[in-house]
Amino acid sequence: MTYPWLFPDGLPSQFRAEPTSADARLACRLLDRMQRDPLLRHERVCIEVQNRVVILEGAVGEPDLKARAHALAWSTPGVHDVNNRLCPPSDA
């Protein structure tokens, strides 16, 4: 089961209740941490969690933000692995 959420828009009010599965709680915890990060809060990142493996997808405005999001995901308690599919901005 996957739980994709985009930010910086945040979760709609109907999704702010306590999630029922461990993966959903982990995705919410990471989403909250990224929304609190001043450099990541305005990026379009999709967070999915499957069996405590975080999958980050989307595009970030600067190459360094890919590494920052990766490190933040890894430092979140309960994460077993991170699959970072974030793309830096294209030079085209």
Side-chain angles (χ1 to χ4, degrees):
M1 187 174 271
T2 63
Y3 302 93
W5 289 302
L6 293 175
F7 65 96
D9 301 331
L11 295 174
S13 60
Q14 66 267 28
F15 295 114
R16 293 180 200 243
E18 183 66 25
T20 56
S21 76
D23 285 345
R25 285 190 300 273
L26 190 55
C28 286
R29 190 176 309 130
L30 180 55
L31 175 66
D32 183 59
R33 294 184 76 197
M34 287 195 177
Q35 285 180 331
R36 292 175 190 268
D37 186 292
L39 297 177
L40 292 173
R41 75 170 47 137
H42 300 293
E43 299 299 318
R44 300 286 297 175
V45 176
C46 179
I47 300 168
E48 295 183 42
V49 178
Q50 299 175 357
N51 299 316
R52 301 200 293 187
V53 175
V54 173
I55 302 165
L56 301 174
E57 292 186 286
V60 291
E62 298 176 23
D64 292 343
L65 294 178
K66 178 178 179 175
R68 186 177 183 98
H70 187 92
L72 190 64
W74 258 121
S75 68
T76 302
V79 171
H80 282 202
D81 198 5
V82 177
N83 183 344
N84 192 343
R85 300 178 186 171
L86 293 174
C87 299
S90 63
D91 293 334

